[in-house]
Amino acid sequence: DMCNHRAGATAELRVRGGYVELLAGRAVTCGEEVCINYGAKGNGELLRYHGFVVPRNLADVCPLPLAQLAPHQGVTPAQMRERLALAEKLRL
């Protein structure tokens, strides 16, 4: 583990010619932690791959098993489109 995550962090981690560079992106004080931004990831992905979650994560997602909405369970294609549109509107 080389760098911790912080949303909005300006630091960059680069690999060049066999070396790793950490560019802070701003002035830092001695002893200050320099974080990088892992990107817009939901808490499920952060937990699985990095071992932590972010409270009130704006990039969080809610997996929706589409198989449960399948027409073979009595849901018409029009109803499925309605449900998906609602899920998108609610940002689920």
Side-chain angles (χ1 to χ4, degrees):
D1 188 20
M2 297 174 76
C3 294
N4 288 326
H5 165 78
R6 189 182 79 238
T10 58
E12 281 184 63
L13 194 62
R14 296 182 184 168
V15 179
R16 291 187 179 195
Y19 294 92
V20 176
E21 296 178 330
L22 177 61
L23 299 140
R26 63 176 178 81
V28 295
T29 59
C30 182
E32 180 182 354
E33 180 179 26
V34 177
C35 296
I36 62 173
N37 186 341
Y38 291 5
K41 296 181 177 5
N43 281 335
E45 184 176 356
L46 288 172
L47 184 59
R48 279 190 304 279
Y49 296 106
H50 303 289
F52 69 93
V53 297
V54 175
R56 296 174 298 285
N57 183 351
L58 296 178
D60 206 3
V61 296
C62 178
L64 183 62
L66 296 178
Q68 292 179 2
L69 301 175
H72 71 276
Q73 293 184 355
V75 178
T76 68
Q79 289 170 320
M80 185 179 293
R81 284 191 297 276
E82 259 182 51
R83 290 180 183 186
L84 292 173
L86 178 60
E88 185 175 310
K89 181 180 178 181
L90 297 174
R91 296 183 164 189
L92 296 177

